[in-house]
Amino acid sequence: MKKKILFFLLVSGLSFSQQKNLKITDLPPKSEDFTFPKVSYPEKPLIENKINTFLQVNQLEYIPGSKISPSQLVSTGKTSYFNYVYFYGWEKLETPKNILSIAINGEASGAYPEGFDIWKNFDLRTGNLINAKDLFQPNSIKTVENLIQKTIKKKVNDFLTELKSEKNSSEKVLE
């Protein structure tokens, strides 16, 4: 019995320390317009590489190890978006032990600047991106999408009702 408890404590300690060894820092070159996450996971370098490669290719259109700076394409508008993209910050979100969630915020500039927030979730056992399809059964995804659509529609309708109810509406509000 004592051996089983000792074994359990050892395994628990190792699994709970799993995320303690995972660190996220800023991908160089950090600047006022470029603060992008870089994952460091010394115990699992293949998973670290997989997550960093995904994030950099997906968001920066940068291939890690290229001779150019990671921020060069997005900061000069030379990505497939043809816009300047600024990354202002990131945050590691609190999650269960085998999940890594990162929130990234920024702004894309075209004719008008538009802010954005991106959330990416990874399985720390494999390094794979976690999608909605990984979390829900196929028939449940449509239900979740419908709930989100209803919530958005309600928020928009409530906002429009509030605008219409203002007594001294300006021309801009009326538009």
Side-chain angles (χ1 to χ4, degrees):
M1 181 70 165
K2 288 182 181 180
K3 287 182 181 180
K4 287 182 181 180
I5 292 172
L6 184 61
F7 179 74
F8 175 76
L9 290 173
L10 178 64
V11 171
S12 296
L14 290 174
S15 64
F16 286 119
S17 66
Q18 185 173 3
Q19 270 202 16
K20 289 180 185 175
N21 297 322
L22 181 130
K23 302 229 182 306
I24 304 177
T25 57
D26 296 322
L27 179 68
K30 182 181 177 183
S31 70
E32 183 178 324
D33 296 327
F34 186 78
T35 303
F36 196 83
K38 180 180 179 191
V39 174
S40 174
Y41 200 11
E43 287 81 34
K44 297 189 178 185
L46 293 175
I47 290 174
E48 169 188 316
N49 186 43
K50 189 174 187 178
I51 293 170
N52 285 324
T53 299
F54 175 83
L55 286 172
Q56 292 171 30
V57 169
N58 182 260
Q59 296 302 313
L60 306 176
E61 295 185 11
Y62 170 76
I63 298 170
S66 299
K67 293 184 181 182
I68 63 170
S69 166
S71 65
Q72 184 173 342
L73 296 174
V74 291
S75 65
T76 58
K78 295 192 172 147
T79 63
S80 61
Y81 307 116
F82 298 108
N83 292 334
Y84 296 88
V85 183
Y86 306 107
F87 291 92
Y88 295 132
W90 56 267
E91 177 184 3
K92 179 181 181 275
L93 304 172
E94 195 66 37
T95 59
K97 65 180 178 180
N98 290 320
I99 306 294
L100 170 64
S101 290
I102 301 174
I104 303 170
N105 70 329
E107 180 179 86
S109 292
Y112 300 99
E114 186 173 326
F116 61 83
D117 291 303
I118 300 166
W119 294 272
K120 297 292 181 189
N121 303 294
F122 298 93
D123 183 333
L124 288 175
R125 296 168 294 188
T126 63
N128 292 341
L129 179 71
I130 299 172
N131 291 306
K133 291 177 184 176
D134 300 323
L135 301 174
F136 301 101
Q137 295 177 0
N139 57 350
S140 301
I141 292 174
K142 196 66 179 165
T143 303
V144 172
E145 288 174 348
N146 287 338
L147 287 169
I148 293 169
Q149 290 287 341
K150 286 178 184 176
T151 302
I152 292 170
K153 189 173 183 177
K154 182 180 180 336
K155 285 183 179 185
V156 169
N157 286 335
D158 290 350
F159 177 71
L160 291 174
T161 301
E162 183 182 329
L163 282 178
K164 289 175 185 175
S165 69
E166 288 186 13
K167 293 184 178 180
N168 297 321
S169 299
S170 67
E171 187 177 319
K172 187 176 181 179
V173 170
L174 292 173
E175 287 177 12

